Amino acid sequence: MALKTKDEKANISGHATCCRGVWGCYTDAKGQSASRSRREVSKQGRQLRQTRRRRTFIHLQALSSHSHDKDDSTVIKWMSAWSQGEGLQVSEENVTVMTEGHYFIYSQVLYNSTIWIMGHVITKSLNGTGTKLMKCVKNMPNDMALNSCYTAGIFFLESGSVLELSVPRKSADLILKPYSTFFGLFSL
């Protein structure tokens, strides 16, 4: 005896049947249509990817700068422009890492100087030991006073690491606009 309808075919297996789209009339063991199961799995995967994508980051804008006479350097006071997560904290001139891991660190400083060479250094301090992570050095043109220096890199930072950006020149003339002088990092 030949079955005439899809409903009659479904009654033989004891499963409910859904007949939509290109998948035709397929059901899983629970009687749900295959397309519905795929949608639920896709939604769970999307939620997992979004959770993984929420990285800790901070982007800082310069507020002011001042000189340290003993180090013959200029340091910048920062404020947070954008941030996410609780793994990074800013305090005046420093960023403290609360959650260890690999971080992408970037910085740019715009100099207003005709001194032949300018640059900045990013230093990590941990347990009283200072380590230079990155240097950015720029030859300054004689005919133009403005020149920027950008640097970036990936580093493993331990919990408790303190980062500072400094210019190894006392009373350096810096342009402290949000688009010209900035500092930031994000977890990888």
Side-chain angles (χ1 to χ4, degrees):
M1 175 174 145
L3 298 174
K4 297 180 183 177
T5 68
K6 293 176 184 172
D7 290 334
E8 289 175 344
K9 291 179 186 177
N11 288 336
I12 292 174
S13 66
H15 295 291
T17 305
C18 179
C19 301
R20 280 184 277 169
V22 296
W23 286 95
C25 298
Y26 297 105
T27 60
D28 63 10
K30 295 179 186 174
Q32 296 178 331
S33 73
S35 62
R36 178 180 170 133
S37 296
R38 274 195 339 274
R39 275 191 307 244
E40 289 173 2
V41 169
S42 176
K43 182 179 177 184
Q44 291 169 350
R46 192 169 43 253
Q47 289 171 340
L48 182 60
R49 285 190 303 274
Q50 288 172 346
T51 301
R52 287 182 188 160
R53 279 188 220 152
R54 290 193 53 88
R55 291 189 168 97
T56 297
F57 72 86
I58 193 163
H59 179 81
L60 305 171
Q61 294 176 346
L63 282 176
S64 62
S65 66
H66 61 277
S67 292
H68 279 248
D69 291 332
K70 68 176 183 153
D71 297 336
D72 190 28
S73 67
T74 301
V75 293
I76 299 171
K77 184 176 177 182
W78 302 101
M79 72 170 209
S80 177
W82 300 283
S83 65
Q84 176 176 285
E86 298 176 9
L88 301 167
Q89 295 179 349
V90 63
S91 173
E92 304 271 324
E93 300 107 15
N94 303 316
V95 176
T96 303
V97 177
M98 306 307 288
T99 306
E100 76 173 23
H102 286 91
Y103 287 86
F104 181 83
I105 305 170
Y106 61 93
S107 64
Q108 177 175 296
V109 177
L110 180 61
Y111 305 98
N112 185 21
S113 177
T114 55
I115 296 174
W116 65 280
I117 194 163
M118 292 295 288
H120 62 275
V121 178
I122 296 180
T123 307
K124 174 183 90 168
S125 298
L126 181 65
N127 300 325
T129 304
T131 306
K132 291 180 182 176
L133 296 181
M134 293 187 288
K135 287 183 183 182
C136 191
V137 179
K138 193 74 164 188
N139 287 328
M140 301 300 286
N142 293 336
D143 58 344
M144 191 168 87
L146 295 177
N147 209 347
S148 65
C149 196
Y150 175 87
T151 189
I154 297 173
F155 297 91
F156 182 81
L157 300 176
E158 299 85 355
S159 179
S161 296
V162 178
L163 303 179
E164 180 183 77
L165 184 151
S166 62
V167 177
R169 185 170 311 284
K170 189 168 79 170
S171 302
D173 190 6
L174 311 174
I175 307 296
L176 302 179
K177 301 289 185 189
Y179 55 83
S180 62
T181 298
F182 49 85
F183 177 33
L185 57 155
F186 59 87
S187 63
L188 298 176

